[in-house]
């Protein structure tokens, strides 16, 4: 019997794949973003679609690490930048924290974890 994927798992998987593709396209277009994360997102997205346990764990880990990485980048910003830029970043961080909480909550629920066994 084939395992059933929930809609939520598919949404996270497709968001990862789309985010990875957009990251690669942005890099090709000349953006100076870190390219390493984009292919990894695609791999995790495919792993989620195949209900691989490693993909579930990596989704949680990279979501948390990504959140803290943005805070590290925030503190590396020079003091010369406009205060409005910092306020905008803090506003973004509030929504990023919400995304981390939702991701961790979703992928640690017993019903979702059972899909990956």
């Amino acid at each position: 019997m084939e395992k059933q994927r929930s809609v939520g798992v598919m949404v996270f998987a497709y968001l990862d794949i789309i985010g990875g593709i957009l990251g690669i396209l942005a890099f090709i277009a000349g953006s100076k973003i870190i390219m390493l994360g984009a292919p990894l997102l695609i791999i995790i997205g495919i792993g989620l679609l195949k209900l691989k346990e490693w993909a579930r764990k990596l989704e949680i880990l990279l979501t948390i690490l990504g959140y803290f990485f943005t805070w590290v980048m925030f503190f590396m910003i020079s003091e010369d930048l406009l205060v409005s830029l910092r306020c905008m970043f803090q506003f973004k961080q509030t929504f990023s924290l919400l995304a981390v909480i939702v991701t961790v909550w979703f992928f640690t629920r017993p019903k979702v974890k059972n899909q990956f066994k």
Side-chain angles (χ1 to χ4, degrees):
M1 185 167 113
E2 190 175 322
K3 296 188 245 180
Q4 293 293 318
R5 264 188 317 264
S6 69
V7 174
V9 171
M10 288 193 316
V11 167
F12 276 99
Y14 288 126
L15 286 174
D16 283 349
I17 292 169
I18 291 167
I21 291 169
L22 290 175
I24 290 170
L25 292 175
F27 182 78
I28 291 170
S31 175
K32 300 211 180 344
I33 62 170
I34 298 173
M35 174 71 173
L36 185 63
L40 190 56
L41 276 175
I42 295 171
I43 292 167
I44 292 171
I46 293 169
L48 289 174
L49 287 175
K50 293 182 177 185
L51 296 175
K52 301 294 183 183
E53 178 67 12
W54 58 263
R56 183 186 73 82
K57 290 178 180 177
L58 273 177
E59 180 76 20
I60 294 169
L61 178 68
L62 291 181
T63 300
I64 294 169
L65 288 177
Y67 178 76
F68 287 111
F69 178 74
T70 57
W71 275 108
V72 168
M73 295 305 293
F74 172 68
F75 288 114
M76 292 175 66
I77 293 174
S78 93
E79 292 294 322
D80 300 325
L81 294 178
L82 298 171
V83 175
S84 61
L85 177 64
R86 289 187 178 211
C87 291
M88 188 173 75
F89 184 83
Q90 289 172 342
F91 182 72
K92 176 205 167 285
Q93 284 301 96
T94 302
F95 287 104
S96 295
L97 179 59
L98 182 61
V100 170
I101 291 168
V102 168
T103 302
V104 172
W105 169 79
F106 179 80
F107 281 103
T108 56
R109 291 177 27 215
K111 186 176 179 181
V112 174
K113 286 171 74 172
N114 286 336
Q115 294 177 53
F116 289 88
K117 291 186 180 185

